[in-house]
Amino acid sequence: MENNSSSDVSRITENIWIGSGDLIGAQDKRILELRFDIDVDVEEYPHEYIPEVKSIIIFPVGENKEITTDQLALGSAILNEAAKLDLTAYVRSPAGRGRAPTLVAAYLITTGMNADQAMNFVRDRRGSVTFSKPQEEALRRFETSKK
């Protein structure tokens, strides 16, 4: 585990990192040093982006809104393609504890994990993750849709 602080960035896989959107506003030196290729923002009102990334992807999901199966499918496809191209993605939500980890867990489901394995894998690498009941249910529905 690279880091498990909710206010920092955590490496989940070789190509995927999760963190807080708050780091972007501060132009955190570490974010710039990691040189991400893709900025994946999972928040209702995105406002700042990592400079010099190749792509910015926005999934407008509010704090009390559920991420949809379509958003999980699209996000997973993007993360799968990024991994094939050996691109690094920074997946973020305001605190990096729920929405961003949900999207990354969906990607892990597409690699062969079940929903519980995917959630545990993300939690093990970013200890501050707190999947809400609706997020867990969305991941279980997503898993079922992939069978």
Side-chain angles (χ1 to χ4, degrees):
M1 174 170 49
E2 198 74 25
N3 190 310
N4 74 352
S5 167
S6 65
S7 64
D8 207 348
V9 56
S10 304
R11 188 176 206 163
I12 307 302
T13 69
E14 184 67 27
N15 297 73
I16 299 172
W17 300 68
I18 294 175
S20 164
D22 293 342
L23 294 178
I24 307 306
Q27 294 302 315
D28 184 276
K29 184 179 177 186
R30 185 164 179 209
I31 294 294
L32 298 175
E33 288 173 354
L34 289 169
R35 300 190 189 281
F36 293 109
D37 298 303
I38 303 169
D39 179 1
V40 183
D41 193 346
V42 190
E43 62 182 307
E44 190 169 15
Y45 300 109
H47 51 286
E48 295 192 59
Y49 306 102
I50 301 172
E52 300 178 25
V53 294
K54 294 175 183 174
S55 298
I56 299 166
I57 295 118
I58 302 167
F59 291 93
V61 180
E63 185 175 355
N64 296 313
K65 303 283 184 184
E66 184 177 322
I67 192 164
T68 68
T69 301
D70 287 345
Q71 288 171 320
L72 293 175
L74 181 57
S76 296
I78 290 166
L79 294 175
N80 269 304
E81 194 61 27
K84 287 179 194 173
L85 296 171
D86 199 28
L87 300 174
T88 55
Y90 182 59
V91 184
R92 61 188 172 104
S93 51
R97 293 184 306 209
R99 287 171 267 178
T102 300
L103 185 60
V104 173
Y107 158 74
L108 294 169
I109 289 168
T110 68
T111 68
M113 292 184 190
N114 66 36
D116 288 325
Q117 290 168 328
M119 287 185 282
N120 287 331
F121 189 90
V122 173
R123 278 189 201 106
D124 287 347
R125 283 152 184 78
R126 185 167 177 79
S128 62
V129 171
T130 55
F131 293 104
S132 69
K133 189 76 167 164
Q135 288 165 340
E136 288 181 9
E137 291 168 357
L139 287 168
R140 292 186 203 303
R141 281 192 305 278
F142 181 70
E143 176 188 358
T144 300
S145 76
K146 294 288 144 199
K147 291 182 180 178

